[in-house]
Amino acid sequence: KRVVTQTLRDAASIKRYVEKCRRNRNACDIDAPILVVGGDRAAMAEHIREAQTANGEALNLAPSGFLHSWNSRKKTKWYRSEDGCTSKDLSKAVTRYGPKVDCDEFPMNSMDLGGKSNYPQFVSLRYVPAGQNRSIGKMWELMANASRMKSKPNKKAVVVAWEKIPLSFWLPDK
C-alpha cells in the first residue's frame, strides 16, 4: 500500500512540474527538451530502452543512445518484412497485444539516427500496441515543435524510457 501511495504522489509531483513548465518555460530549470516514456506506455518504453542500450530483444547492433535531434525525412514503410516486422512477428504481437499493433521503429524515422539508412546499426524494429506507438510519436512531434527543434537541426532532446515512471510526458526547453 505504501508503494502505491508513494507512486501516486510521485506521479502527481511530476504532473505538477510538467504543467508548470508548459505554462511558463522560464519557470522550468531544464535546458534541453525531454521526452519521458513511462509505464502507461510500457511496450513502447521497453522497446525504446532496449534499443537505447542494444540489449534485450532489440535488433539494433549498436546502442541508439538517449540524445536525438529532429530529422524531417519523409515517412515511409521501409521496414515491412525486415526482422522485427515480419508476418511471423505480427502474428506474435497480435497474440500478445491484440489486433491493433504497429511496427515501431526506434529511433523514430523523424530522429537523426532513425530511418532505413541507420538500419540495423542503430534502428530496432518491433510490433507494439498501435495507440502507444502513435501517442509517443505525437508527443515527440509536439515537443519538437514547442522547442523549435525542427528549425534547429543540431538541437538535441533527451529521450528517457522508464516503465517505473507511471506516466509519459514531454517538457520543452527554456
Side-chain angles (χ1 to χ4, degrees):
K1 184 177 177 181
R2 273 187 285 158
V3 171
V4 171
T5 302
Q6 185 61 45
T7 300
L8 292 174
R9 280 191 201 128
D10 292 347
S13 295
I14 291 169
K15 186 176 180 183
R16 282 192 302 276
Y17 186 77
V18 169
E19 289 168 354
K20 177 181 93 170
C21 288
R22 287 197 179 146
R23 278 193 306 272
N24 179 3
R25 283 190 190 172
N26 293 328
C28 208
D29 56 357
I30 58 172
D31 58 4
I34 301 173
L35 172 63
V36 176
V37 183
D40 59 335
R41 291 164 179 89
M44 287 293 297
E46 178 184 64
H47 183 214
I48 292 169
R49 180 179 38 77
E50 290 179 358
Q52 288 176 326
T53 58
N55 283 319
E57 295 178 28
L59 299 174
N60 49 313
L61 303 174
S64 63
F66 302 90
L67 292 172
H68 296 279
S69 58
W70 180 266
N71 184 305
S72 48
R73 68 174 69 85
K74 293 181 180 177
K75 292 181 184 180
T76 65
K77 301 284 185 188
W78 65 266
Y79 42 77
R80 291 202 174 147
S81 78
E82 298 288 351
D83 284 345
C85 292
T86 64
S87 56
K88 184 178 175 183
D89 297 317
L90 175 60
S91 179
K92 283 193 235 175
V94 167
T95 300
R96 183 174 179 186
Y97 300 119
K100 295 185 178 182
V101 294
D102 285 343
C103 188
D104 178 44
E105 167 189 0
F106 191 85
M108 299 174 203
N109 190 59
S110 58
M111 291 178 169
D112 53 348
L113 293 178
K116 186 175 184 173
S117 63
N118 289 304
Y119 176 81
Q121 185 69 22
F122 297 110
V123 175
S124 177
L125 302 173
R126 181 182 305 174
Y127 279 102
V128 296
Q132 290 186 31
N133 186 39
R134 294 171 192 178
S135 66
I136 295 302
K138 188 65 175 173
M139 284 184 188
W140 169 254
E141 184 171 18
L142 290 169
M143 182 191 69
N145 286 334
S147 300
R148 299 165 305 284
M149 291 175 66
K150 291 182 178 183
S151 62
K152 298 176 182 176
N154 295 321
K155 185 173 186 172
K156 299 280 187 182
V158 179
V159 179
V160 178
W162 195 7
E163 297 95 325
K164 292 190 181 201
I165 295 176
L167 60 134
S168 301
F169 59 92
W170 59 272
L171 295 170
D173 61 348
K174 285 188 175 185

